[in-house]
Amino acid sequence: MGRDPGSDPVNELAVVRGDLRARFGTGKGVGVQAVFALLVCLATLLGLSPDADGATPSQVVGGVSIAILVAAAYVAVAISSGEIAIPGEKTLPDLVMSPFSAGEIVRGKAITSAVFAAHLALATWPAFYFLNALRDGSPWVAAAQAGVVAAVVWGFAAIGTWLSGAVEGDLVRSLAAWGLLAGVFGLLPLLGFPSFQPVRAVHPGVAGELRAMCALFSTVIGALAFWGSARRIPYLRAET
Amino acid sequence: MQVSGRLGWDGWIKPGTWNPITVTLRSTGTLEGRLVVDLPQEAGRQHIRVSRPVQVGAGGSRIVRFPALVRDSRRPPVLSLIRGQVVVASEELAVSPARTAATLLAEVGDSTGGAGRLADPVRRRAVAHLREEDLPEDAVAYASLDLLIVTNLNERILNEHQRSALREWVLHGGRVLVAGALPDGPLAAWLLPGTYTGRESVVRGVRSLGGGEVTIRQIQRDPGTQPIWEGAVLLGVTAARGLGSVTLWAPELVDVPPGSPLWRLALPAPPQPPELDELEVVSRAAFGPAAAGLLAYWILWVAAVALAGLGRGRWLAIPLVAALATAGLRHMSQRAREISGSPQIQALSVVVEGVEWTRARGVQVSAYGGRFIYTLSAGSHPAVVGGFQDAEVEVLPDRVRIEAKQRAGDRLWLWWDGVAPRRLEVELSADETELRTVGPLADLGEGTLFWQDRMIPLGRLQGRHRLDTGAWRPVEARHPGLRTLRAWIPQAGTIMKNHPVVVVEREGFGGGWWVVIPGRIR
């Protein structure tokens, strides 16, 4: 996904602007975010439940953090894969016909995903902060949790982008997105793959190294997915 | 820098209650630091630290007196002087397990006065010998003392706090026996129920004095006092002082044998522990306020997202809302912790002649783990018991701050005693048709008057109540205020026989805090 000769950052920003305008400037885009924020607030409210006797760190905060992470990951993968179609947002197949190069398109998508991941993490930060402060926890833990959300959401957005180009049928793409969520959040903890466990990394009581590993893996997987998307565009162009 | 401390009454302590600690500080330079007492707990892992600010001028010395709750002589408190974070001096306030008592008498004055004969190892009754300097500055420290015997007391040596503490203790049930010199002074004038005339007489065959020939002093007794006669011989005078009593003896202490009825009159009944009801407590979560706060956050967030889509530069609304929400939710988390950490309180404040003594306990089950802060009024002496990891009590000039580290579900008990001035008086007219209340009544709710096995509801306390003579009815034993009074003060029945007693709820504590005002007949 290196910068190809002759590529123009203005074109990358055009992709970014178009996506963000759709997500923030349309009723559906704002509506999706409103539903996400509502889920975050409801999960936070559940986080007020008393902890089990002697539980340190709180299992309640752990559960709520996982719920928030799953919701954020779903929003990211659903929007970027086109499962939730935001009017005006161009998916990978839509951009195939544009004059932009594959690198420009994918770099634009990567920037969009990064901005949106940071945005969703910012939405979850007050909730993490509140739940940790309620249990006399450190704000740094809340910041680290929000950091995990940002990294994981970016990775999921990248995979969603790749899915939009790689999987043609809407139903199959939706199934793939849901399968991805189920695999990462349901299957991985069962398999015990220790270095990439978003479910564990977002827990308030986990060691910092595990969070860093998870964030690193998410970033690497995201980069690979965007690289795969860039490789996919010439095929899509050839098909059209 | 020198620090030395003494625990208890002449080395004697009564475990499980407040005992005095006297600390002497000497410094060559100016000293500003904290005096810290570490109280090891039975569980071993728990740790309570009580600290208070202290200042000593250059080349000066200072005596600091305060009460400490000592549970077990095998785990003595450790006294430290800390400047900044540095421990300047430290000393263990050790007490021999052999010097713990169930009944504790203290004699001030001449140690050859004869009170020492009352010591009884079988009954675990001990007699401590004190000097004026040993008397506490806080009435709460007297809680471990059953009888103060005075054979010689120069009140000019006492400071104002020591005089007040002695008076406050007596007003709230303390017993003093005077059998010797008590030079003139305001404390003596208030305390003594009579005076020695200076004349002496020789009596024979008085059984209370062993039946032999004994020289006794003649007493001029004050009006309203109770004489103690044997035949035609006036052996003493006793008088009530608030809820306590003072007795003046005619014979010397050495002339009263240990088995004399005079001692039986002077010695208090065996102490009874308070019989308190179980306090029901559940951990609470502040769902209501949190829901309101989160709804506000949600509305602001959606508005910020919508605003961000309207044009360049408006995206700044998003981080602004995040920052605002963080500040608001931080405040809310503190509020939610306060709600979840607020203890269920059972307390009794007895107000006698302008002195309020509060005995209280609170229990809290934390919904969440972490550090919880409790604040009590100045002059309170708290003890922390139950589920916590460590606790720090900071005695500040305007309040007492307790910080306890708890795990979720830990059940923490706070016990505290506090003495403070409060002007609250009650007068019942002799014909029982009018009750007058003097003092601030703003924090008091509905009251009931109890007087000699009868009671009459008063409603909300006002300055003056007209009493309907037909409204009196027999005392209801189930009255919550009366139950609280009886639970904390075993001699409540005697108090209600001797005084019209107003029992009134203190507002804001859900019926858990009662104020008792023993009054007088006008």
Side-chain angles (χ1 to χ4, degrees), chain A residues 24 33-34 37-38 41 45 48-54 119 123 125 129-130 133-136, chain B residues 285-287 290 294 297-298 301 309 318 326 329-330 333 336-337 367-371 408-409:
Chain A
F24 289 85
Q33 294 194 57
L38 189 64
C41 289
L45 197 61
L48 263 86
S49 306
D51 289 329
D53 289 1
H119 169 69
W125 149 256
Y129 181 89
F130 172 69
L134 193 62
R135 286 151 176 95
D136 207 18
Chain B
F287 281 106
L294 287 165
Y297 165 54
W298 180 75
W301 181 261
I318 291 172
T326 305
L329 289 173
R330 179 177 183 271
S333 70
R337 278 181 72 78
Y368 318 111
R371 293 198 168 268

mmCIF file of all heavy atoms in Angstrom, chain A residues 24 33-34 37-38 41 45 48-54 119 123 125 129-130 133-136, chain B residues 285-287 290 294 297-298 301 309 318 326 329-330 333 336-337 367-371 408-409:
data_model
loop_
_atom_site.group_PDB
_atom_site.id
_atom_site.type_symbol
_atom_site.label_atom_id
_atom_site.label_comp_id
_atom_site.label_asym_id
_atom_site.label_seq_id
_atom_site.Cartn_x
_atom_site.Cartn_y
_atom_site.Cartn_z
ATOM 1 N N PHE A 24 -21.480 11.703 8.674
ATOM 2 C CA PHE A 24 -21.850 12.764 9.621
ATOM 3 C C PHE A 24 -22.930 13.697 9.072
ATOM 4 O O PHE A 24 -23.571 14.390 9.852
ATOM 5 C CB PHE A 24 -20.612 13.589 9.996
ATOM 6 C CG PHE A 24 -19.644 12.851 10.882
ATOM 7 C CD1 PHE A 24 -18.678 12.015 10.353
ATOM 8 C CD2 PHE A 24 -19.725 12.984 12.260
ATOM 9 C CE1 PHE A 24 -17.800 11.326 11.161
ATOM 10 C CE2 PHE A 24 -18.846 12.294 13.078
ATOM 11 C CZ PHE A 24 -17.879 11.457 12.541
ATOM 12 N N GLN A 33 -25.048 6.385 14.266
ATOM 13 C CA GLN A 33 -24.197 6.783 15.392
ATOM 14 C C GLN A 33 -25.005 7.033 16.661
ATOM 15 O O GLN A 33 -24.538 6.773 17.772
ATOM 16 C CB GLN A 33 -23.413 8.030 15.013
ATOM 17 C CG GLN A 33 -22.418 7.767 13.901
ATOM 18 C CD GLN A 33 -21.427 8.899 13.781
ATOM 19 O OE1 GLN A 33 -20.759 9.219 14.751
ATOM 20 N NE2 GLN A 33 -21.330 9.492 12.614
ATOM 21 N N ALA A 34 -26.240 7.544 16.464
ATOM 22 C CA ALA A 34 -27.106 7.777 17.631
ATOM 23 C C ALA A 34 -27.455 6.444 18.289
ATOM 24 O O ALA A 34 -27.449 6.326 19.525
ATOM 25 C CB ALA A 34 -28.372 8.508 17.201
ATOM 26 N N ALA A 37 -24.385 5.263 20.147
ATOM 27 C CA ALA A 37 -24.180 6.003 21.406
ATOM 28 C C ALA A 37 -25.209 5.578 22.446
ATOM 29 O O ALA A 37 -24.893 5.491 23.650
ATOM 30 C CB ALA A 37 -24.268 7.505 21.153
ATOM 31 N N LEU A 38 -26.430 5.286 21.967
ATOM 32 C CA LEU A 38 -27.467 4.838 22.903
ATOM 33 C C LEU A 38 -27.086 3.488 23.523
ATOM 34 O O LEU A 38 -27.253 3.270 24.726
ATOM 35 C CB LEU A 38 -28.805 4.729 22.171
ATOM 36 C CG LEU A 38 -30.032 4.476 23.048
ATOM 37 C CD1 LEU A 38 -30.264 5.659 23.979
ATOM 38 C CD2 LEU A 38 -31.267 4.243 22.191
ATOM 39 N N CYS A 41 -24.521 4.048 26.112
ATOM 40 C CA CYS A 41 -25.107 4.597 27.350
ATOM 41 C C CYS A 41 -25.857 3.506 28.120
ATOM 42 O O CYS A 41 -25.761 3.442 29.356
ATOM 43 C CB CYS A 41 -26.046 5.755 27.029
ATOM 44 S SG CYS A 41 -25.157 7.215 26.483
ATOM 45 N N LEU A 45 -25.042 2.155 31.807
ATOM 46 C CA LEU A 45 -26.017 2.118 32.900
ATOM 47 C C LEU A 45 -26.012 0.739 33.570
ATOM 48 O O LEU A 45 -26.089 0.644 34.800
ATOM 49 C CB LEU A 45 -27.406 2.442 32.348
ATOM 50 C CG LEU A 45 -28.464 2.837 33.367
ATOM 51 C CD1 LEU A 45 -28.062 4.087 34.122
ATOM 52 C CD2 LEU A 45 -29.809 3.065 32.694
ATOM 53 N N LEU A 48 -23.472 0.067 36.268
ATOM 54 C CA LEU A 48 -23.642 0.532 37.647
ATOM 55 C C LEU A 48 -24.005 -0.605 38.598
ATOM 56 O O LEU A 48 -24.033 -0.412 39.810
ATOM 57 C CB LEU A 48 -24.748 1.592 37.711
ATOM 58 C CG LEU A 48 -24.264 3.033 37.687
ATOM 59 C CD1 LEU A 48 -24.092 3.484 36.262
ATOM 60 C CD2 LEU A 48 -25.212 3.942 38.415
ATOM 61 N N SER A 49 -24.318 -1.746 38.055
ATOM 62 C CA SER A 49 -24.706 -2.879 38.907
ATOM 63 C C SER A 49 -23.605 -3.158 39.924
ATOM 64 O O SER A 49 -22.421 -3.080 39.596
ATOM 65 C CB SER A 49 -24.905 -4.130 38.058
ATOM 66 O OG SER A 49 -25.818 -3.852 37.039
ATOM 67 N N PRO A 50 -23.991 -3.477 41.179
ATOM 68 C CA PRO A 50 -22.973 -3.770 42.188
ATOM 69 C C PRO A 50 -22.088 -4.939 41.761
ATOM 70 O O PRO A 50 -22.550 -5.887 41.137
ATOM 71 C CB PRO A 50 -23.801 -4.136 43.424
ATOM 72 C CG PRO A 50 -25.115 -3.479 43.215
ATOM 73 C CD PRO A 50 -25.345 -3.502 41.736
ATOM 74 N N ASP A 51 -20.832 -4.842 42.108
ATOM 75 C CA ASP A 51 -19.884 -5.910 41.786
ATOM 76 C C ASP A 51 -20.094 -7.097 42.712
ATOM 77 O O ASP A 51 -20.621 -6.956 43.815
ATOM 78 C CB ASP A 51 -18.448 -5.401 41.945
ATOM 79 C CG ASP A 51 -18.087 -4.420 40.848
ATOM 80 O OD1 ASP A 51 -18.622 -4.570 39.738
ATOM 81 O OD2 ASP A 51 -17.289 -3.510 41.114
ATOM 82 N N ALA A 52 -19.637 -8.236 42.240
ATOM 83 C CA ALA A 52 -19.676 -9.421 43.105
ATOM 84 C C ALA A 52 -18.730 -9.199 44.285
ATOM 85 O O ALA A 52 -17.769 -8.432 44.177
ATOM 86 C CB ALA A 52 -19.236 -10.635 42.307
ATOM 87 N N ASP A 53 -19.022 -9.855 45.405
ATOM 88 C CA ASP A 53 -18.220 -9.665 46.610
ATOM 89 C C ASP A 53 -16.742 -9.912 46.329
ATOM 90 O O ASP A 53 -16.367 -10.967 45.822
ATOM 91 C CB ASP A 53 -18.684 -10.622 47.714
ATOM 92 C CG ASP A 53 -20.036 -10.200 48.255
ATOM 93 O OD1 ASP A 53 -20.578 -9.195 47.746
ATOM 94 O OD2 ASP A 53 -20.537 -10.863 49.172
ATOM 95 N N GLY A 54 -15.953 -8.921 46.661
ATOM 96 C CA GLY A 54 -14.506 -9.065 46.569
ATOM 97 C C GLY A 54 -13.953 -9.067 45.155
ATOM 98 O O GLY A 54 -12.760 -9.305 44.972
ATOM 99 N N HIS A 119 -13.086 8.437 16.354
ATOM 100 C CA HIS A 119 -14.368 9.060 16.731
ATOM 101 C C HIS A 119 -15.190 8.121 17.636
ATOM 102 O O HIS A 119 -15.714 8.548 18.671
ATOM 103 C CB HIS A 119 -15.138 9.385 15.445
ATOM 104 C CG HIS A 119 -16.555 9.776 15.669
ATOM 105 N ND1 HIS A 119 -16.899 10.956 16.270
ATOM 106 C CD2 HIS A 119 -17.718 9.127 15.395
ATOM 107 C CE1 HIS A 119 -18.215 11.027 16.351
ATOM 108 N NE2 HIS A 119 -18.742 9.929 15.821
ATOM 109 N N ALA A 123 -16.234 8.411 21.594
ATOM 110 C CA ALA A 123 -17.599 8.253 22.117
ATOM 111 C C ALA A 123 -17.631 7.305 23.311
ATOM 112 O O ALA A 123 -18.443 7.461 24.223
ATOM 113 C CB ALA A 123 -18.521 7.728 21.019
ATOM 114 N N TRP A 125 -15.016 6.745 25.411
ATOM 115 C CA TRP A 125 -14.113 7.185 26.484
ATOM 116 C C TRP A 125 -14.859 7.674 27.740
ATOM 117 O O TRP A 125 -14.542 7.219 28.846
ATOM 118 C CB TRP A 125 -13.138 8.234 25.938
ATOM 119 C CG TRP A 125 -12.684 9.251 26.935
ATOM 120 C CD1 TRP A 125 -13.083 10.543 27.042
ATOM 121 C CD2 TRP A 125 -11.735 9.051 28.004
ATOM 122 N NE1 TRP A 125 -12.470 11.156 28.089
ATOM 123 C CE2 TRP A 125 -11.631 10.268 28.706
ATOM 124 C CE3 TRP A 125 -10.992 7.972 28.444
ATOM 125 C CZ2 TRP A 125 -10.813 10.436 29.809
ATOM 126 C CZ3 TRP A 125 -10.167 8.141 29.557
ATOM 127 C CH2 TRP A 125 -10.074 9.347 30.222
ATOM 128 N N TYR A 129 -14.433 5.959 31.313
ATOM 129 C CA TYR A 129 -13.952 6.818 32.398
ATOM 130 C C TYR A 129 -14.910 6.747 33.591
ATOM 131 O O TYR A 129 -14.497 6.580 34.739
ATOM 132 C CB TYR A 129 -13.827 8.260 31.884
ATOM 133 C CG TYR A 129 -13.307 9.216 32.920
ATOM 134 C CD1 TYR A 129 -11.944 9.428 33.065
ATOM 135 C CD2 TYR A 129 -14.170 9.904 33.764
ATOM 136 C CE1 TYR A 129 -11.455 10.294 34.020
ATOM 137 C CE2 TYR A 129 -13.696 10.769 34.715
ATOM 138 C CZ TYR A 129 -12.339 10.968 34.844
ATOM 139 O OH TYR A 129 -11.867 11.821 35.804
ATOM 140 N N PHE A 130 -16.199 6.861 33.279
ATOM 141 C CA PHE A 130 -17.221 6.835 34.332
ATOM 142 C C PHE A 130 -17.191 5.502 35.089
ATOM 143 O O PHE A 130 -17.182 5.473 36.322
ATOM 144 C CB PHE A 130 -18.594 7.058 33.686
ATOM 145 C CG PHE A 130 -19.756 6.868 34.624
ATOM 146 C CD1 PHE A 130 -19.986 7.758 35.660
ATOM 147 C CD2 PHE A 130 -20.626 5.798 34.467
ATOM 148 C CE1 PHE A 130 -21.051 7.578 36.526
ATOM 149 C CE2 PHE A 130 -21.696 5.614 35.319
ATOM 150 C CZ PHE A 130 -21.903 6.511 36.353
ATOM 151 N N ALA A 133 -14.008 5.306 37.194
ATOM 152 C CA ALA A 133 -14.033 6.242 38.321
ATOM 153 C C ALA A 133 -14.998 5.758 39.398
ATOM 154 O O ALA A 133 -14.745 5.928 40.588
ATOM 155 C CB ALA A 133 -14.426 7.629 37.837
ATOM 156 N N LEU A 134 -16.079 5.135 38.965
ATOM 157 C CA LEU A 134 -17.065 4.614 39.912
ATOM 158 C C LEU A 134 -16.433 3.571 40.829
ATOM 159 O O LEU A 134 -16.833 3.410 41.978
ATOM 160 C CB LEU A 134 -18.217 3.993 39.115
ATOM 161 C CG LEU A 134 -19.490 3.645 39.853
ATOM 162 C CD1 LEU A 134 -20.114 4.887 40.446
ATOM 163 C CD2 LEU A 134 -20.477 2.983 38.901
ATOM 164 N N ARG A 135 -15.435 2.884 40.297
ATOM 165 C CA ARG A 135 -14.754 1.841 41.083
ATOM 166 C C ARG A 135 -13.380 2.288 41.527
ATOM 167 O O ARG A 135 -12.504 1.478 41.792
ATOM 168 C CB ARG A 135 -14.681 0.560 40.267
ATOM 169 C CG ARG A 135 -16.046 -0.111 40.204
ATOM 170 C CD ARG A 135 -16.233 -0.905 38.940
ATOM 171 N NE ARG A 135 -17.516 -1.600 38.999
ATOM 172 C CZ ARG A 135 -18.635 -1.126 38.470
ATOM 173 N NH1 ARG A 135 -18.649 0.034 37.866
ATOM 174 N NH2 ARG A 135 -19.760 -1.820 38.560
ATOM 175 N N ASP A 136 -13.222 3.630 41.580
ATOM 176 C CA ASP A 136 -11.980 4.206 42.077
ATOM 177 C C ASP A 136 -10.789 3.804 41.212
ATOM 178 O O ASP A 136 -9.661 3.718 41.704
ATOM 179 C CB ASP A 136 -11.751 3.760 43.529
ATOM 180 C CG ASP A 136 -10.922 4.765 44.299
ATOM 181 O OD1 ASP A 136 -10.832 5.908 43.839
ATOM 182 O OD2 ASP A 136 -10.357 4.401 45.340
ATOM 183 N N ALA B 285 -26.996 1.140 44.249
ATOM 184 C CA ALA B 285 -26.405 1.727 43.045
ATOM 185 C C ALA B 285 -27.284 2.895 42.622
ATOM 186 O O ALA B 285 -28.505 2.824 42.712
ATOM 187 C CB ALA B 285 -26.334 0.683 41.941
ATOM 188 N N ALA B 286 -26.630 3.972 42.174
ATOM 189 C CA ALA B 286 -27.359 5.209 41.868
ATOM 190 C C ALA B 286 -27.819 5.196 40.415
ATOM 191 O O ALA B 286 -27.335 5.971 39.593
ATOM 192 C CB ALA B 286 -26.453 6.394 42.152
ATOM 193 N N PHE B 287 -28.769 4.304 40.092
ATOM 194 C CA PHE B 287 -29.209 4.183 38.700
ATOM 195 C C PHE B 287 -29.915 5.450 38.207
ATOM 196 O O PHE B 287 -29.708 5.870 37.078
ATOM 197 C CB PHE B 287 -30.150 2.982 38.547
ATOM 198 C CG PHE B 287 -29.417 1.674 38.490
ATOM 199 C CD1 PHE B 287 -29.434 0.809 39.565
ATOM 200 C CD2 PHE B 287 -28.696 1.307 37.365
ATOM 201 C CE1 PHE B 287 -28.750 -0.394 39.527
ATOM 202 C CE2 PHE B 287 -28.008 0.112 37.312
ATOM 203 C CZ PHE B 287 -28.035 -0.742 38.395
ATOM 204 N N ALA B 290 -27.612 8.437 37.410
ATOM 205 C CA ALA B 290 -26.722 8.028 36.312
ATOM 206 C C ALA B 290 -27.481 7.994 34.993
ATOM 207 O O ALA B 290 -26.958 8.410 33.950
ATOM 208 C CB ALA B 290 -26.110 6.665 36.622
ATOM 209 N N LEU B 294 -26.440 10.074 31.737
ATOM 210 C CA LEU B 294 -26.108 9.397 30.474
ATOM 211 C C LEU B 294 -27.039 9.848 29.345
ATOM 212 O O LEU B 294 -26.613 9.957 28.190
ATOM 213 C CB LEU B 294 -26.173 7.878 30.660
ATOM 214 C CG LEU B 294 -25.019 7.296 31.484
ATOM 215 C CD1 LEU B 294 -25.325 5.875 31.932
ATOM 216 C CD2 LEU B 294 -23.718 7.323 30.696
ATOM 217 N N TYR B 297 -25.728 13.037 28.162
ATOM 218 C CA TYR B 297 -24.541 12.790 27.331
ATOM 219 C C TYR B 297 -24.959 12.342 25.931
ATOM 220 O O TYR B 297 -24.424 12.825 24.930
ATOM 221 C CB TYR B 297 -23.657 11.737 28.007
ATOM 222 C CG TYR B 297 -22.612 11.142 27.100
ATOM 223 C CD1 TYR B 297 -21.725 11.961 26.402
ATOM 224 C CD2 TYR B 297 -22.514 9.767 26.921
ATOM 225 C CE1 TYR B 297 -20.766 11.422 25.551
ATOM 226 C CE2 TYR B 297 -21.561 9.219 26.075
ATOM 227 C CZ TYR B 297 -20.699 10.051 25.385
ATOM 228 O OH TYR B 297 -19.763 9.528 24.544
ATOM 229 N N TRP B 298 -25.924 11.446 25.881
ATOM 230 C CA TRP B 298 -26.367 10.909 24.586
ATOM 231 C C TRP B 298 -26.912 12.030 23.700
ATOM 232 O O TRP B 298 -26.564 12.135 22.521
ATOM 233 C CB TRP B 298 -27.424 9.830 24.809
ATOM 234 C CG TRP B 298 -27.937 9.233 23.532
ATOM 235 C CD1 TRP B 298 -27.286 8.345 22.727
ATOM 236 C CD2 TRP B 298 -29.182 9.505 22.893
ATOM 237 N NE1 TRP B 298 -28.045 8.035 21.643
ATOM 238 C CE2 TRP B 298 -29.228 8.739 21.706
ATOM 239 C CE3 TRP B 298 -30.271 10.317 23.209
ATOM 240 C CZ2 TRP B 298 -30.316 8.753 20.850
ATOM 241 C CZ3 TRP B 298 -31.356 10.343 22.347
ATOM 242 C CH2 TRP B 298 -31.380 9.568 21.179
ATOM 243 N N TRP B 301 -24.129 14.206 22.507
ATOM 244 C CA TRP B 301 -23.274 13.511 21.548
ATOM 245 C C TRP B 301 -23.925 13.480 20.165
ATOM 246 O O TRP B 301 -23.291 13.799 19.168
ATOM 247 C CB TRP B 301 -22.979 12.083 22.042
ATOM 248 C CG TRP B 301 -22.086 11.343 21.104
ATOM 249 C CD1 TRP B 301 -22.444 10.439 20.156
ATOM 250 C CD2 TRP B 301 -20.675 11.490 20.982
ATOM 251 N NE1 TRP B 301 -21.352 9.998 19.461
ATOM 252 C CE2 TRP B 301 -20.239 10.628 19.945
ATOM 253 C CE3 TRP B 301 -19.720 12.257 21.641
ATOM 254 C CZ2 TRP B 301 -18.919 10.510 19.577
ATOM 255 C CZ3 TRP B 301 -18.399 12.143 21.264
ATOM 256 C CH2 TRP B 301 -18.000 11.276 20.254
ATOM 257 N N GLY B 309 -21.487 17.336 10.828
ATOM 258 C CA GLY B 309 -21.781 17.098 9.417
ATOM 259 C C GLY B 309 -22.224 18.338 8.679
ATOM 260 O O GLY B 309 -22.394 18.317 7.458
ATOM 261 N N ILE B 318 -17.392 17.681 18.673
ATOM 262 C CA ILE B 318 -17.314 16.296 19.165
ATOM 263 C C ILE B 318 -16.325 16.159 20.328
ATOM 264 O O ILE B 318 -16.714 15.698 21.408
ATOM 265 C CB ILE B 318 -16.990 15.336 17.996
ATOM 266 C CG1 ILE B 318 -18.213 15.274 17.074
ATOM 267 C CG2 ILE B 318 -16.642 13.948 18.509
ATOM 268 C CD1 ILE B 318 -17.991 14.521 15.793
ATOM 269 N N THR B 326 -16.991 13.898 30.008
ATOM 270 C CA THR B 326 -16.043 13.313 30.952
ATOM 271 C C THR B 326 -16.116 14.037 32.287
ATOM 272 O O THR B 326 -16.157 13.404 33.346
ATOM 273 C CB THR B 326 -14.607 13.396 30.372
ATOM 274 O OG1 THR B 326 -14.616 12.768 29.093
ATOM 275 C CG2 THR B 326 -13.617 12.686 31.264
ATOM 276 N N LEU B 329 -19.539 13.208 33.889
ATOM 277 C CA LEU B 329 -19.636 11.831 34.376
ATOM 278 C C LEU B 329 -18.661 11.587 35.534
ATOM 279 O O LEU B 329 -18.913 10.741 36.391
ATOM 280 C CB LEU B 329 -19.379 10.848 33.239
ATOM 281 C CG LEU B 329 -20.511 10.791 32.201
ATOM 282 C CD1 LEU B 329 -20.121 9.922 31.027
ATOM 283 C CD2 LEU B 329 -21.806 10.271 32.822
ATOM 284 N N ARG B 330 -17.576 12.340 35.566
ATOM 285 C CA ARG B 330 -16.657 12.233 36.711
ATOM 286 C C ARG B 330 -17.395 12.681 37.985
ATOM 287 O O ARG B 330 -17.350 12.008 39.011
ATOM 288 C CB ARG B 330 -15.439 13.124 36.469
ATOM 289 C CG ARG B 330 -14.448 13.096 37.607
ATOM 290 C CD ARG B 330 -13.223 13.944 37.266
ATOM 291 N NE ARG B 330 -12.250 13.860 38.332
ATOM 292 C CZ ARG B 330 -12.229 14.664 39.370
ATOM 293 N NH1 ARG B 330 -13.137 15.610 39.481
ATOM 294 N NH2 ARG B 330 -11.315 14.525 40.309
ATOM 295 N N SER B 333 -19.862 10.062 38.871
ATOM 296 C CA SER B 333 -19.275 8.859 39.485
ATOM 297 C C SER B 333 -19.006 9.106 40.965
ATOM 298 O O SER B 333 -19.208 8.220 41.798
ATOM 299 C CB SER B 333 -17.988 8.458 38.760
ATOM 300 O OG SER B 333 -16.965 9.393 39.002
ATOM 301 N N ALA B 336 -22.344 8.943 42.638
ATOM 302 C CA ALA B 336 -22.802 7.546 42.709
ATOM 303 C C ALA B 336 -22.032 6.785 43.787
ATOM 304 O O ALA B 336 -22.591 5.941 44.493
ATOM 305 C CB ALA B 336 -22.629 6.869 41.353
ATOM 306 N N ARG B 337 -20.754 7.092 43.948
ATOM 307 C CA ARG B 337 -19.962 6.441 44.999
ATOM 308 C C ARG B 337 -20.435 6.892 46.383
ATOM 309 O O ARG B 337 -20.477 6.114 47.318
ATOM 310 C CB ARG B 337 -18.476 6.762 44.834
ATOM 311 C CG ARG B 337 -17.791 5.886 43.824
ATOM 312 C CD ARG B 337 -16.327 6.212 43.719
ATOM 313 N NE ARG B 337 -15.572 5.770 44.872
ATOM 314 C CZ ARG B 337 -15.193 4.517 45.094
ATOM 315 N NH1 ARG B 337 -15.516 3.579 44.226
ATOM 316 N NH2 ARG B 337 -14.496 4.192 46.158
ATOM 317 N N ALA B 367 -20.998 -1.184 47.087
ATOM 318 C CA ALA B 367 -21.391 -1.824 45.830
ATOM 319 C C ALA B 367 -20.178 -2.029 44.940
ATOM 320 O O ALA B 367 -20.134 -2.940 44.130
ATOM 321 C CB ALA B 367 -22.429 -0.955 45.126
ATOM 322 N N TYR B 368 -19.198 -1.148 45.130
ATOM 323 C CA TYR B 368 -17.992 -1.195 44.296
ATOM 324 C C TYR B 368 -16.767 -1.176 45.211
ATOM 325 O O TYR B 368 -16.865 -0.784 46.361
ATOM 326 C CB TYR B 368 -17.935 0.013 43.359
ATOM 327 C CG TYR B 368 -19.259 0.359 42.746
ATOM 328 C CD1 TYR B 368 -19.932 1.510 43.104
ATOM 329 C CD2 TYR B 368 -19.854 -0.501 41.826
ATOM 330 C CE1 TYR B 368 -21.163 1.820 42.558
ATOM 331 C CE2 TYR B 368 -21.088 -0.199 41.278
ATOM 332 C CZ TYR B 368 -21.747 0.963 41.646
ATOM 333 O OH TYR B 368 -22.961 1.256 41.113
ATOM 334 N N GLY B 369 -15.651 -1.565 44.672
ATOM 335 C CA GLY B 369 -14.419 -1.513 45.452
ATOM 336 C C GLY B 369 -13.793 -0.133 45.388
ATOM 337 O O GLY B 369 -14.303 0.766 44.741
ATOM 338 N N GLY B 370 -12.701 0.024 46.105
ATOM 339 C CA GLY B 370 -11.954 1.279 46.053
ATOM 340 C C GLY B 370 -11.960 2.007 47.378
ATOM 341 O O GLY B 370 -12.327 1.442 48.408
ATOM 342 N N ARG B 371 -11.559 3.269 47.329
ATOM 343 C CA ARG B 371 -11.459 4.067 48.558
ATOM 344 C C ARG B 371 -12.755 4.835 48.783
ATOM 345 O O ARG B 371 -13.266 5.477 47.869
ATOM 346 C CB ARG B 371 -10.295 5.042 48.473
ATOM 347 C CG ARG B 371 -8.966 4.338 48.462
ATOM 348 C CD ARG B 371 -7.799 5.236 48.816
ATOM 349 N NE ARG B 371 -6.644 4.401 49.054
ATOM 350 C CZ ARG B 371 -6.298 3.927 50.238
ATOM 351 N NH1 ARG B 371 -6.995 4.248 51.308
ATOM 352 N NH2 ARG B 371 -5.251 3.156 50.388
ATOM 353 N N ALA B 408 -15.402 -4.699 46.812
ATOM 354 C CA ALA B 408 -16.849 -4.760 46.580
ATOM 355 C C ALA B 408 -17.467 -5.783 47.531
ATOM 356 O O ALA B 408 -16.922 -6.871 47.712
ATOM 357 C CB ALA B 408 -17.124 -5.158 45.142
ATOM 358 N N GLY B 409 -18.582 -5.391 48.133
ATOM 359 C CA GLY B 409 -19.294 -6.304 49.026
ATOM 360 C C GLY B 409 -18.784 -6.306 50.449
ATOM 361 O O GLY B 409 -19.386 -6.946 51.317
#
